[in-house]
Amino acid sequence: MDPQTITPQNADERIIYKAIVYSYLFWIVGALYIIAPVIAWILFCRLLVKKISYQPAHTLSLTHYVWLFGMWVMLLALIVGHLEQGLGIAKLIKSSIGWAKGWALLAIFPVVACLDIRPQIIYRACCQVCKHTVLLLPIFVLAWMIRLPSTLYVSPLSIIGGPGPEFFSLSLYEIDPGSGIPRWRLFTPWAPALGMLGNLYFIFALQESSSKWKRWGVIGSLLMVLMSQSRLALICYLALFGYFSMLKFVRSPILYFVLCPVILATGFVGESILNKISMSIAAVKSARADSTRVRQALADIAVERWWNEAILFGHGIVERGPHMVEYMPIGSHHTWYGLLFVKGLVGAIALALPMLVTFVVLVINIFSRPLAKVGMAILMLLMLYTFGENLEILAYLFWPGLIVLGKALIADSDTIPTEELVSTR
């Protein structure tokens, strides 16, 4: 097939392709937060029907079941936490719906990868979103220059419920309170989330077969990272660039001839290098000192209250923090601290175990299956962002990455030809 003319070939691909390509349209009407959970459960039901009726579909691997089990344990931890804290049935129902729109997606989207969905469709769709970002950039910059309202409106769809109004608002730009300079979040709820999405699109752009769309993808994804002005996004972008660069030469003897003298020289100047790294880390933290202080305070409060009040199953729900953390939710801005506070040690293990199993499986297959390399990059992205974001809240944005990650975990992905699956419809 001509790399310029990749198009959806079945209903599943059409659903995913259009959901990604029309991201800006869904954002304008405030439906972006709703689309991902709806798609996830629809495709999950379609997969169940195929399995029950013995229609062609890929076989779920052990790792898929580990993710399903982990997110099911997450729900159990939520229920027990609510019962222990005496939060009532109303809050339990509300939190369970939140689980279905958040944590559940981390298992459902990898599982629906067992449907006939080509990763190339996702790569192309995300590169189109990057193109839209580049073309729309002048509008966002002009909005800031002429001082239009930073947020035009909040969609009426916010009545459905969500983490906050920012998930349903149309924001043209925002001003960083620390530096006073503009930054953009586009169709994400906050700027660092845009940086995360830019990194995910960068991974996909590098896999794109068309040089034209690859350029759009790389330029657009880098633009997202820079517009977000997120420190973690920049670090992640460099890490991903280094990861893919190393993979090209990992089996080449040239790499080891180059590394040997480098490692030897590092031994003589190791202390100086460590000092420079420490200084660089300090400089990154001081770039937004107030943000760093708030994040650290949120982490300290979350750990202290988890350890002293609810070790095993957590507090059940998110609680608003004190004035010192600007009333931000306790455990926010960090997946692990958030899990410990809300779902306790059981919840943290329920996420750590699937991620660890996935890492081991991908490492084993990284040189034998090209898609495993992409899966490892996505897992690395998610792991890095557990230290700066709450993954479950942003799952509605990075769900295309979860599908590709699930595709990389399919044991029989090479045994059922795509043409055969398409022809049975």
Side-chain angles (χ1 to χ4, degrees):
M1 179 180 289
D2 184 357
Q4 298 289 345
T5 58
I6 294 178
T7 55
Q9 294 181 353
N10 55 66
D12 301 324
E13 287 190 347
R14 280 192 291 273
I15 291 172
I16 290 173
Y17 182 79
K18 291 182 179 179
I20 299 174
V21 170
Y22 296 146
S23 291
Y24 277 100
L25 179 60
F26 290 131
W27 168 61
I28 290 173
V29 300
L32 197 59
Y33 179 74
I34 305 169
I35 290 297
V38 171
I39 289 175
W41 288 103
I42 288 176
L43 293 180
F44 186 67
C45 290
R46 285 175 62 85
L47 179 62
L48 288 179
V49 170
K50 285 181 178 294
K51 290 293 185 180
I52 293 172
S53 59
Y54 299 101
Q55 296 182 39
H58 293 296
T59 303
L60 271 69
S61 68
L62 175 62
T63 314
H64 287 111
Y65 286 110
V66 172
W67 275 103
L68 287 171
F69 176 75
M71 297 308 105
W72 175 249
V73 171
M74 200 78 75
L75 177 60
L76 293 179
L78 181 149
I79 295 172
V80 175
H82 276 68
L83 296 177
E84 284 189 344
Q85 302 297 321
L87 298 174
I89 297 299
K91 287 188 176 180
L92 176 58
I93 294 174
K94 181 179 179 182
S95 296
S96 299
I97 295 173
W99 170 85
K101 296 188 296 183
W103 287 116
L105 303 188
L106 270 68
I108 291 177
F109 275 119
V111 166
V112 300
C114 293
L115 293 168
D116 182 29
I117 301 168
R118 293 168 298 160
Q120 291 78 9
I121 280 292
I122 296 177
Y123 302 156
R124 178 61 53 86
C126 291
C127 285
Q128 290 201 38
V129 177
C130 291
K131 178 182 178 180
H132 299 161
T133 301
V134 175
L135 297 178
L136 292 172
L137 174 63
I139 296 176
F140 295 114
V141 174
L142 182 63
W144 164 69
M145 293 180 64
I146 64 177
R147 295 297 188 268
L148 286 178
S150 59
T151 300
L152 293 184
Y153 59 84
V154 176
S155 171
L157 291 175
S158 61
I159 195 173
I160 294 174
E166 60 271 19
F167 287 76
F168 301 92
S169 63
L170 185 74
S171 175
L172 298 177
Y173 65 93
E174 60 185 42
I175 303 297
D176 185 84
S179 61
I181 60 177
R183 59 194 306 204
W184 288 264
R185 58 186 176 98
L186 305 184
F187 54 87
T188 67
W190 42 74
L194 177 64
M196 180 187 190
L197 215 56
N199 277 283
L200 180 64
Y201 290 174
F202 174 64
I203 295 173
F204 291 159
L206 294 181
Q207 316 311 314
E208 175 57 56
S209 58
S210 166
S211 57
K212 167 194 168 184
W213 285 110
K214 177 177 288 190
R215 284 193 296 270
W216 279 116
V218 171
I219 295 171
S221 62
L222 178 58
L223 193 61
M224 290 181 181
V225 171
L226 296 177
M227 291 172 72
S228 72
Q229 298 182 34
S230 168
R231 296 165 294 176
L232 181 56
L234 288 171
I235 293 172
C236 190
Y237 194 89
L238 294 174
L240 289 172
F241 181 81
Y243 166 77
F244 283 110
S245 299
M246 288 289 290
L247 283 179
K248 291 181 179 180
F249 305 103
V250 72
R251 289 190 171 184
S252 172
I254 298 176
L255 175 65
Y256 302 97
F257 280 115
V258 172
L259 285 180
C260 284
V262 170
I263 294 173
L264 184 62
T266 302
F268 294 102
V269 295
E271 184 176 356
S272 175
I273 292 175
L274 290 175
N275 289 335
K276 290 185 180 297
I277 292 175
S278 299
M279 292 173 62
S280 299
I281 294 174
V284 169
K285 289 184 176 181
S286 63
R288 287 197 179 89
D290 290 340
S291 175
T292 302
R293 175 190 60 79
V294 170
R295 286 173 181 267
Q296 186 58 50
L298 285 168
D300 293 341
I301 295 172
V303 172
E304 192 273 334
R305 290 195 56 189
W306 159 70
W307 182 254
N308 291 292
E309 299 174 8
I311 294 179
L312 283 180
F313 295 100
H315 293 79
I317 59 173
V318 174
E319 295 182 17
R320 195 178 184 187
H323 174 70
M324 67 176 293
V325 292
E326 301 175 9
Y327 304 107
M328 291 185 179
I330 299 173
S332 60
H333 298 80
H334 200 291
T335 296
W336 302 111
Y337 293 143
L339 272 175
L340 289 174
F341 182 79
V342 178
K343 295 181 175 62
L345 185 61
V346 173
I349 294 175
L351 175 63
L353 181 61
M355 295 189 83
L356 178 60
V357 172
T358 301
F359 175 78
V360 172
V361 170
L362 292 176
V363 165
I364 293 173
N365 295 284
I366 197 166
F367 294 119
S368 59
R369 297 183 55 212
L371 200 54
K373 300 175 183 178
V374 185
M376 182 62 77
I378 295 170
L379 183 65
M380 183 169 68
L381 170 67
L382 296 180
M383 191 61 204
L384 283 172
Y385 268 87
T386 60
F387 300 104
E389 295 287 351
N390 298 91
L391 289 186
E392 79 282 9
I393 292 179
L394 300 180
Y396 81 100
L397 289 174
F398 62 76
W399 62 269
L402 295 174
I403 294 180
V404 176
L405 178 61
K407 210 72 177 176
L409 299 173
I410 295 176
D412 66 338
S413 59
D414 299 323
T415 61
I416 303 179
T418 301
E419 293 79 9
E420 177 185 338
L421 286 168
V422 174
S423 64
T424 61
R425 286 169 169 75

